[in-house]
Structures are given as structure tokens and as C-alpha cells.
Amino acid sequence: MNPLVKKEIRLLLPGWVTSLLLTLSIWLLPEHLGSRPGVANSLLVFPFLLCPLMLIMTVIGSFGREFSSGTFSLLLAQPVTRARIWWTKTLFLLVGVLAVWFVWCYSQIASGQINANLTDMEVFTALFALAVYSGGLWTVLLLRQAAAAFWFTVLTPAALLMTVSDLLQHYSDNVANHVLMVVFTSYGIAGFWFAHWLFMRAQDSQWTGGTIAMPEVRGLARFKTGLGTRRIWRPRAALLIKELQLHQSQFLIAGVLALLQLGAVVTRKLGHFPENSSLEFVLENFVLLWLVVPLLVGCAAVAEERKSGTLEGQFCLPIKRRRQFTIKWLVVLSLSIMFGTLMPLLLEGERILPDFGFKPDDILIYLERYGYFTSTSAGIIWVALVDTLVSFLPILVIVIISVSIATVSFYASTLARNTLQALAPAVLGILLTWFLLFGAYSPEEFINYPLWRGWLFYLIGIPVLLVVLGILAYWNYQRVLVGWNTWRKNLLTIAISLTLMIVTTTVLYHRVWELLTPLEPPHGIARLTNNTESTRIQVNYESITVFLSDGRVWLNRYTLYAPTLFSRMTDNYKIVTNPRFGGSRFLDGTNWADLADCGWDIAGIQRDGSLWVSEKPEQRVAHRHSGANTAPASTKLVRFGSDHDWKKVTGRGISVYLLKTDGSLWFWGINQWNWKKAWPGLRAFNPVRLGTNSDWAEIFGTSGQTFFCKTDGQMWVSPAGLDDDPKLQLAQNIVLGRVMPSEGRKWRSILETYSLGGGESVIGILENGTLCILAQQQLNRQSGRIDWVTKDIPLGGETNWVAMIGNGSQLVTLKSDGSLWLWNFHYDERRGWRTETDLREYQNTTPVRLGTHSDWIAVGNLMGSGVVSLAADGSLWLWRFPSQHYYFGQGTPPLLMVSRRPELLGNIFNQPD
């Protein structure tokens, strides 16, 4: 290969590869972020800001790296004509720019992340690429300074855009677009010709106009001269002034950028542009250019010192290097906040602030609801701090973004010999940091395994990473010459630090220390027999009802709350007996057949078929945790009516469903109630028959739903889902949805709807003790409907299952030998709608035993985020499980995974005094 061509490829390859990767960064965005504008917009900074930025740096680097490395004079001295050098460099650069432009357009179109007109997008991005291509050539050949060339390359086309837009704001969009095409095409051709003219007449010495710098103020110059005459020893002030002079070109360009920003604001407000047009998109996002300033400030901090040869001289000054490094970093930090946050806020106001969808009052109400120290002086201070933090949170987000960009750029500057060389690793570091921050929140979105969830990695990783980068940056800063050996040590240190952070976070999140101690204490003497058909648990939200084989019914109500903020952050809600209920108790009588704790009333059916209800209902109060420990009147039941053919009752709140022995279905209560009035109780209403059918065989409630089974095996659910088809209207406000095609199939009493692969499925235990997926919803791609399909897919090869309960991603089953087993189903949502691969994964899932005891009698429905189980000694235990799905804006994952240890809720035979 021609040495000139090989040199040019090596010169352009790093920046070009980085630009190409940034064009593809839009494919890394999780698909579910598209419905969250705040997060999605912040991630789109890569393809829409960093990618054009890196393309500009690649173009400038074609000649800029020659000037920075001091090889431009040697290039002109080669025994090759200047024309050949010119066309070799420009043609290779043109091919690289066209490749980046093509891949960028294809990525945007194929990913569907933008709504602008595709033709306009392709045309205007091509004009931008042409302007960047020609501008990057003539600016660097004229100025021979990478930083100044960058800003002239960016701001010259921006000034042309603002000028043409202002002049043509009264003309049609078609005319304005055609004029812009002509102007930018002319600028591209003229810039290319001017760059050719400059190169053909280039001399060894650089531009005689001198370095671009801010003008000196005469009064300030005399003041500094006077200080020098008096020889006042001010080393910190001298270093500070030196650092400001190092970045003085950024001050000059920031002033020009501010003028253009004002022009963009005026044009946006006075002009009229079609919705989703390319020009509107540019004007709306012009403020993103301010994020480039912290990048350049950070990249120039140390690299420009090495390029100018002043770094080693600075080390000879009578001041500690640690102090010099600190002053340099503080200047970078201050300028980044000023240029990246204060200037955009001053020019754009609150328009650029992110909207998190909540207000400070919402947070205060949330804290009060969960009782975080709200009754103490510490609680008042805590609430005030949270209120202040939430008020300034949008501004803090922009500050953090600016500081993060400056920090990564400053670190890259300590590894580079000039600003241009630091830009590529800085942009790549920003991309990796951003991706790491968002990927660390929910790593299973990328690796399909929940190493951790939530903010724990940030609490561990960010402080560690800042310390490591700070130490490495200071270590690099003290080296005048940096090379591959320095880079290798830095990469190895960062890799080891990331590995330790990942391992530490995973170990803490999964509570590995619990494996070193017994998970559960020993149980007492057995007082219940293993008769799962007559002994059962019914959990209705925060109420637990235990039905014994001798006809007795035990009842207790609980309350879930987080006593401290750490309890809420670790999902460690405290579960205690509701003080208003007064403690657990057995209801009067020993012949109960069924019972439903509705919260305000208790409705029950005795074995003789009679219907009973609370004599006096409870009344709604403002605070559930307050009140005396007295037994409510709702636990005293009286008979209602004279019928003796009632069979089943289930419900919650102010209404219940009833089933008679003749197969008729009844509704008792009311759907809505004005809670400004006292609740009269269910006794104030009469049961109303639903429909005319007499083929109902079973009703039961689970997970907030009520299921209705017919004698032929049909199953219906209330409330009906949007995808349930067909639907059965029993009354004006009561509509049942069909759950599954199940005619002629027999199963045991417990059946649960389950979420597999994004759609509903039904898992049941057949009469022979087999656990299997009975049916599943599938998308009919021809009709666009969601249909139920019979599956009968067995889970495991055993046939001794007697009971089950689940919460959507975990399933707890009870064996006939009294052991409990947990099935952890993990669905990979990146594969889309259910596939046969997903079903095979569920089928191949191996259950894990819960605890070591084999004296479990029954399992109940969900309580909070766990499952309640009853042991033979009468003790009730809660097994907590974490939710499997957390996204931004959809709940906050706990810092630690919930404990594997079961929590004792009490013993049904231990009655209060």
C-alpha cells in the first residue's frame, strides 16, 4: 500500500471509527424508553450531538493532527506534489464523511426514533456533512489551531442558518428550504476551494495573525504590573490567572455562541415552521451545543500544557503539584458549570429543564403516607431537605451532566499530548459512562440476568470510580510524556475497579451473608393435620383468614408500612397487626363453610347454608395506623335472611359475590359509595341475582381478581381485561371476561392467571397432581386479535402437587409431603412477543425448595410482595419475593433483594389476652 495512503488511514481511523460507533448508538437504546421522553431525550444526545461532534473532530483531524504533531512541515517536504497530497487527504476524508452520513441516516430511519420528514432529514444532514467537510478544511488551514477551527466550523454554518431563516421567515417553507440548499451548497464549494487555495500556498510558519486571545484590559494590565513591582507573593492567584488564559479562546467562542443562541430563540419564537421539520428540530436543540464547551474545556486542561511545553516548567514552580492539579480541576469544574448550565439557563430559561412528572408536594405526601419521621423534629428537617432537593432537582441534573462531561474530558486530557488527541477518548469515555449509568440501573435488560437492580451500583460505583479516576488523573498529570505504557496501566486499573464494583454490588444485593446462617428457625409441635382440602388460607390484601378442618375460622388484619426511609429503599416493609383490629381471633362458632373479609364487613356462610354478616360495619378513617386496640364490631356476625342454600362467598370492599347450591350467581352490596356518608354495611342491601344461568360451579378470589367456574369447565374473571374475548355482561356494571378454553378439563381448586412473555397464561394443578400451563394468550398476526390457545405443557415431571400461588414471575407450590417449592420464571423481553423458546425455558425451569421444613399445611394468596404459608404448628410465615420488572418511571427497585428468610406473622393458636 502507498505510504501516503497508509498514513492517511492511520490518521483518520480512530476518529472515524468512533463516529461510526456513535451513529449506531441509537440501536443501544432500550425499546421501552421510547415512551419516556425525559430519559429518551437524554440518551439521544449520542446520535444527535456526540456523533456530529466526533465527525467534526475527524474532519479537523485530517490537517489538525498534522499541525498538533508538528508534521505539517515534513508533509510539505515530501517528494510528492502538493496536488497529490491534497487529493489523497480530501478524497479519503470525503469517503469517510459519506460513510458516516449514510450509516447515520439508515440508523435513524430503521430505528424509527425520529418523526421528521425522511427526505428533509436526508437532504439537510447531507448539507450539514458538506458544511462540516469544507469548513473543517479551510478553518484549520487558516487558523492552524484545533479549538478555534472547531468553533468556526460549527458556528459559521449556524450563523448562515440563522441569517437565512430570519430573512426568509415570511416566505413559504418550500422557498426557505431551497434557499438553504443553495446557500449551504455554495458555502461547501467555496470552503473547499478556499481550503485548496490555502494548502497550495501554505508555508512552514503558521498564521501570522497570532493566537486567538481575548483583548487585554489596560487597567488590568497596569494593576498586574503594579503587583509585579511590589513583588506580592500570590502563587494561587497566578495559577488561577494562568488557567483562565489557557481557556480564554473558550470565553471568546462562548460569546459568539451566546449571540447565535439568542438568534435561535428569536427565530424560533417569531418564525413559523412546519411541525417536525428539520429546521424546527435544529432550532429546538441548538442549546445542546453548550454541552460541547465543557468537553473542550476539559480536553484542553492538561493536553494543551503538554503541547505548549509548559507542563514540565510548571512542575518546577515552588508550589505543590497536588495544589496545581486541584486549581486546574476547580477551574475546569467552574467553567463547565458556567458554560454548560448557567448560560443555557440564562438564555433558554425553564424550557430546557427536564420534567420528572412529579412536584415537591407529591414527594411530601408520599413521605407522610409512609410515615418517615414525620412526627419528630428530625422528620421535619428531613422533609424540608427533600422539598428543597426536589425543587432544584432539574437544575442539578443539568449540572451533573455538564460536570460529568468535563470530568471524563479532563481525565482524557491527562492521557493526551494535545487537545485534538484527547477528543476521541473523551467522547468514547462519555459514551461508555452514559451507557454504564443507564445499563447499571437494570443490567438484566442487557445480559438477561438480574445481577442487581436499582441504585445500589451507583451508591457503590460512583464514589469508587471518582476516586479511581481522580488518582489516575493525578498520576497521569505528573508525567510529561505519556504513551502506551501509561494507557495500559490506566485501562487495567479501571477494568479491575469495575470488576470489583460489579462483584461487590452483586454480593450485597443478593444478601450472600444469609447463606452462612440458618434461613428459618425450628417449628413447634404439630397441631394441624396435613389435610389441604379442608385446611386452607385466604389472603385478601392485608387480611388473613385461616379455615380449619373442624369448621373454625381464624382471622387477623395487618398493616404494611416503612418505619424508616432505609426500610422503603430496601423494600423491607414492616408487617404488624393492624392496631384498629385489636389482634387475631377465632370467630364465634365451629361450623363455618366459607367466609370473606371485605375490610368494612365480614360475610360468611355456615355449613347449613345460612348467610351471615357483620352486625356493625367498620367506618373509613383518615389514618389506618391510628386507633385504639379494641375489637371492632365487624367481628360479631349475625344471620342475614332465611335461605339455607348458600354455597360460596368472595369479595372485597363494599361488595361480594355469592354462589348458591342451585348454580345461580348473586351480587351483594354496591359498586360505588359516597364516603362522606357513614357506610351502612352490607346489611343495608339485598343480594341481587346475576343473569339467569344456573350452571355456575365455583367462585374464588385471588390477586385482586374474582374467578367464576362453570360446570362445563368454562372460566370467567372479573374485572374483565381489555383482551378478554368473549365477554359476559351479567349486570349494568358487571362484565366478566373469558379466561381460557377449558371445557371438559378438571383441575384442583387453586388456579392462577399468570403473566408469561407479556401475555396472560393459566397455570393449574390437575386432579392427578400435575402442574402444567393449561392455556396461553397468543397474538394472531393475521387478525391482530389476541386469542386463547390450549397448551397443556407440564412443568416438572412430578405428580404430587396439591396447592399453588404466584405473583406473575414467581410461583410457589406445595407438595403432598409438606414441602414448599419456588419456581422462578424469567422472561427475556428483548425477544418480543411469546415464542416457543420462551415456553421451553418455562418448561425447563427447575424449582428451588423454600426452607428445610416439611410440615407446611397450606399456602395463601399474595400479601404485599410475598406468599403466606401455614405450618403444622399453627404458625403463619411470609415469604417475600422481589418484583421482576422495574423501569425508569415505573417504580423504584429496592437497594437490596428481599430476604430469603421467611417472616413470622404469628401463630393462630396464640390468642391475645
Side-chain angles (χ1 to χ4, degrees):
M1 183 181 294
N2 190 299
L4 185 61
V5 175
K6 185 182 297 184
K7 178 193 78 71
E8 199 62 30
I9 292 176
R10 295 183 61 184
L11 190 68
L12 297 177
L13 190 61
W16 182 80
V17 170
T18 306
S19 302
L20 202 62
L21 291 176
L22 287 169
T23 62
L24 302 173
S25 62
I26 197 168
W27 295 99
L28 299 177
L29 302 183
E31 197 171 312
H32 60 268
L33 291 179
S35 59
R36 296 162 182 82
V39 178
N41 287 340
S42 62
L43 288 177
L44 290 176
V45 70
F46 296 114
F48 288 105
L49 177 64
L50 295 184
C51 177
L53 167 66
M54 202 59 224
L55 181 62
I56 296 173
M57 292 304 171
T58 303
V59 175
I60 293 176
S62 180
F63 283 105
R65 295 188 67 179
E66 302 278 7
F67 291 116
S68 300
S69 305
T71 60
F72 183 74
S73 299
L74 297 176
L75 179 66
L76 299 180
Q78 298 302 313
V80 181
T81 62
R82 289 198 181 188
R84 184 178 178 183
I85 296 175
W86 168 259
W87 289 112
T88 301
K89 294 181 75 67
T90 55
L91 287 178
F92 268 96
L93 183 61
L94 179 62
V95 171
V97 171
L98 290 177
V100 172
W101 170 79
F102 176 78
V103 175
W104 191 93
C105 291
Y106 173 78
S107 299
Q108 308 309 315
I109 295 172
S111 62
Q113 292 286 353
I114 60 175
N115 299 319
N117 183 276
L118 298 182
T119 304
D120 289 345
M121 183 199 72
E122 294 170 355
V123 171
F124 281 101
T125 52
L127 294 176
F128 169 80
L130 177 61
V132 167
Y133 174 70
S134 63
L137 291 175
W138 74 261
T139 55
V140 72
L141 286 171
L142 177 64
L143 304 175
R144 301 195 181 187
Q145 295 182 31
F150 169 82
W151 284 115
F152 275 92
T153 303
V154 172
L155 298 181
T156 303
L160 289 176
L161 177 65
M162 299 303 168
T163 304
V164 174
S165 301
D166 289 336
L167 293 176
L168 300 178
Q169 60 179 330
H170 300 296
Y171 291 84
S172 64
D173 300 325
N174 191 29
V175 173
N177 291 339
H178 281 82
V179 172
L180 282 173
M181 293 179 191
V182 173
V183 170
F184 272 80
T185 303
S186 302
Y187 169 76
I189 296 174
F192 183 82
W193 177 84
F194 183 50
H196 178 267
W197 186 86
L198 289 172
F199 179 75
M200 299 304 291
R201 290 161 179 77
Q203 302 297 323
D204 288 348
S205 60
Q206 65 183 39
W207 182 44
T208 58
T211 301
I212 295 179
M214 296 183 65
E216 186 73 28
V217 181
R218 295 182 179 180
L220 182 61
R222 289 195 299 268
F223 175 73
K224 291 192 295 184
T225 303
L227 291 181
T229 303
R230 293 192 297 270
R231 302 182 63 84
I232 299 177
W233 183 252
R234 297 175 182 264
R236 297 183 185 86
L239 286 176
L240 180 61
I241 295 174
K242 189 267 296 182
E243 291 299 325
L244 293 178
Q245 289 178 342
L246 182 68
H247 301 290
Q248 60 185 341
S249 60
Q250 309 301 332
F251 284 94
L252 181 62
I253 299 300
V256 179
L257 186 60
L259 294 177
L260 290 176
Q261 183 68 53
L262 289 175
V265 172
V266 173
T267 304
R268 189 173 61 243
K269 291 184 177 180
L270 300 181
H272 302 282
F273 309 101
E275 187 177 359
N276 295 327
S277 65
S278 300
L279 184 56
E280 181 189 29
F281 178 81
V282 172
L283 295 175
E284 289 285 343
N285 296 277
F286 190 84
V287 69
L288 292 177
L289 280 178
W290 287 102
L291 293 179
V292 180
V293 185
L295 173 69
L296 295 178
V297 169
C299 289
V302 180
E304 279 299 304
E305 296 272 15
R306 288 199 179 100
K307 177 187 173 183
S308 304
T310 59
L311 187 61
E312 49 190 318
Q314 183 174 321
F315 291 158
C316 299
L317 297 176
I319 187 172
K320 294 181 179 179
R321 296 183 181 182
R322 182 175 63 254
R323 188 169 299 170
Q324 297 178 25
F325 179 81
T326 303
I327 293 175
K328 186 177 287 290
W329 160 239
L330 290 177
V331 169
V332 171
L333 189 67
S334 302
L335 294 180
S336 301
I337 295 176
M338 182 176 68
F339 291 138
T341 303
L342 298 181
M343 290 299 294
L345 285 176
L346 180 63
L347 297 172
E348 290 283 356
E350 297 182 354
R351 190 186 71 86
I352 64 174
L353 295 179
D355 184 11
F356 296 99
F358 56 79
K359 300 177 181 178
D361 292 341
D362 300 332
I363 302 298
L364 299 181
I365 294 173
Y366 180 82
L367 293 175
E368 183 178 0
R369 180 184 305 170
Y370 288 98
Y372 296 151
F373 311 114
T374 53
S375 60
T376 63
S377 57
I380 297 175
I381 298 175
W382 168 253
V383 170
L385 290 176
V386 171
D387 187 17
T388 305
L389 178 62
V390 172
S391 300
F392 287 96
L393 184 59
I395 299 178
L396 290 177
V397 170
I398 302 180
V399 171
I400 291 173
I401 292 176
S402 301
V403 171
S404 301
I405 293 176
T407 301
V408 177
S409 304
F410 181 80
Y411 172 72
S413 180
T414 62
L415 291 169
R417 292 187 291 269
N418 54 71
T419 302
L420 195 61
Q421 190 183 60
L423 286 172
V427 174
L428 184 60
I430 293 170
L431 176 63
L432 294 176
T433 302
W434 205 281
F435 181 77
L436 178 64
L437 289 177
F438 280 93
Y441 187 84
S442 186
E444 73 271 19
E445 293 294 318
F446 304 95
I447 62 174
N448 198 24
Y449 184 80
L451 295 175
W452 64 82
R453 293 187 180 92
W455 304 94
L456 181 62
F457 183 83
Y458 302 144
L459 297 179
I460 297 175
I462 291 179
V464 173
L465 198 59
L466 288 177
V467 171
V468 170
L469 290 181
I471 294 175
L472 288 177
Y474 181 64
W475 184 76
N476 300 332
Y477 167 74
Q478 299 180 81
R479 276 145 183 80
V480 178
L481 300 177
V482 292
W484 169 241
N485 188 42
T486 305
W487 278 83
R488 180 173 53 83
K489 292 180 179 179
N490 278 259
L491 293 176
L492 183 61
T493 304
I494 294 176
I496 294 175
S497 302
L498 288 176
T499 303
L500 292 177
M501 285 186 290
I502 292 174
V503 172
T504 303
T505 306
T506 304
V507 168
L508 291 177
Y509 179 80
H510 289 278
R511 298 175 181 259
V512 175
W513 61 87
E514 290 185 350
L515 301 177
L516 304 177
T517 58
L519 294 180
E520 52 182 333
H523 292 178
I525 301 175
R527 303 180 63 177
L528 299 173
T529 59
N530 192 359
N531 187 352
T532 58
E533 294 184 358
S534 57
T535 303
R536 58 189 176 92
I537 305 175
Q538 177 178 293
V539 180
N540 206 343
Y541 293 94
E542 298 177 3
S543 170
I544 299 180
T545 307
V546 178
F547 299 85
L548 302 182
S549 57
D550 58 5
R552 288 186 296 169
V553 172
W554 178 91
L555 179 65
N556 197 8
R557 293 176 184 166
Y558 298 85
T559 181
L560 284 71
Y561 72 100
T564 64
L565 179 61
F566 183 76
S567 302
R568 172 66 183 95
M569 295 173 64
T570 57
D571 210 11
N572 188 24
Y573 287 96
K574 189 174 182 60
I575 301 179
V576 296
T577 297
N578 192 325
R580 296 188 63 253
F581 189 70
S584 62
R585 72 207 60 209
F586 280 98
L587 298 182
D588 296 337
T590 58
N591 59 347
W592 295 102
D594 199 11
L595 186 135
D597 183 6
C598 304
W600 318 117
D601 295 88
I602 299 176
I605 298 176
Q606 294 196 350
R607 293 180 176 178
D608 60 359
S610 59
L611 181 62
W612 295 70
V613 70
S614 299
E615 182 178 21
K616 292 183 179 180
E618 289 194 51
Q619 299 299 325
R620 174 168 291 189
V621 294
H623 299 283
R624 302 180 57 191
H625 311 315
S626 61
N629 295 335
T630 58
S634 61
T635 57
K636 179 175 177 56
L637 275 61
V638 296
R639 184 169 179 176
F640 184 88
S642 58
D643 294 345
H644 287 273
D645 55 351
W646 299 105
K647 179 182 178 181
K648 286 287 185 178
V649 58
T650 184
R652 170 72 183 174
I654 56 177
S655 63
V656 296
Y657 291 99
L658 298 166
L659 177 64
K660 282 193 173 185
T661 55
D662 61 1
S664 60
L665 191 62
W666 297 73
F667 178 81
W668 191 15
I670 192 171
N671 287 318
Q672 295 181 348
W673 181 257
N674 183 6
W675 289 104
K676 294 181 180 179
K677 302 178 181 179
W679 169 242
L682 291 176
R683 294 183 63 189
F685 306 91
N686 290 318
V688 178
R689 183 168 181 175
L690 298 176
T692 58
N693 292 354
S694 297
D695 56 350
W696 299 101
E698 185 73 25
I699 59 172
F700 60 91
T702 177
S703 301
Q705 294 177 304
T706 303
F707 295 90
F708 306 83
C709 301
K710 288 191 173 184
T711 55
D712 61 356
Q714 290 187 20
M715 178 161 288
W716 302 77
V717 64
S718 175
L722 296 177
D723 298 329
D724 293 335
D725 189 33
K727 291 183 172 60
L728 179 62
Q729 181 129 17
L730 298 179
Q732 182 177 2
N733 297 321
I734 300 176
V735 179
L736 306 184
R738 182 71 176 276
V739 175
M740 56 176 286
S742 52
E743 291 83 349
R745 304 165 73 187
K746 301 294 183 181
W747 54 77
R748 296 190 174 179
S749 59
I750 295 181
L751 189 70
E752 175 74 6
T753 61
Y754 213 76
S755 176
L756 295 179
E760 291 300 322
S761 298
V762 175
I763 295 181
I765 300 177
L766 302 180
E767 285 189 334
N768 61 0
T770 302
L771 179 69
C772 66
I773 301 176
L774 301 178
Q776 185 184 21
Q777 286 181 342
Q778 287 192 352
L779 177 63
N780 189 330
R781 301 190 181 275
Q782 295 181 350
S783 62
R785 296 179 53 183
I786 299 176
D787 303 326
W788 281 99
V789 177
T790 303
K791 289 296 182 181
D792 286 331
I793 299 177
L795 299 177
E798 299 181 76
T799 59
N800 56 350
W801 305 106
V802 295
M804 58 168 284
I805 198 66
N807 68 348
S809 297
Q810 292 97 1
L811 182 69
V812 176
T813 53
L814 175 63
K815 275 187 179 180
S816 57
D817 61 1
S819 59
L820 283 178
W821 297 80
L822 171 66
W823 304 69
N824 261 317
F825 299 110
H826 181 71
Y827 170 69
D828 186 0
E829 296 196 6
R830 297 173 296 180
R831 285 201 295 262
W833 193 268
R834 297 154 303 280
T835 62
E836 294 300 324
T837 303
D838 299 321
L839 292 177
R840 284 195 298 269
E841 286 185 4
Y842 302 138
Q843 190 175 6
N844 296 332
T845 300
T846 302
V848 178
R849 185 168 181 176
L850 290 178
T852 57
H853 295 291
S854 297
D855 59 346
W856 301 106
I857 303 299
V859 290
N861 297 338
L862 302 176
M863 183 176 185
S865 61
V867 171
V868 179
S869 60
L870 175 66
D873 63 349
S875 57
L876 288 168
W877 299 82
L878 176 68
W879 304 82
R880 298 176 186 257
F881 305 114
S883 174
Q884 294 294 310
H885 304 287
Y886 289 107
Y887 305 118
F888 283 96
Q890 290 189 348
T892 303
L895 292 180
L896 303 179
M897 188 180 68
V898 296
S899 177
R900 300 178 181 85
R901 297 171 178 170
E903 180 178 345
L904 179 63
L905 298 178
N907 193 299
I908 64 174
F909 297 113
N910 295 336
Q911 299 299 308
D913 296 335

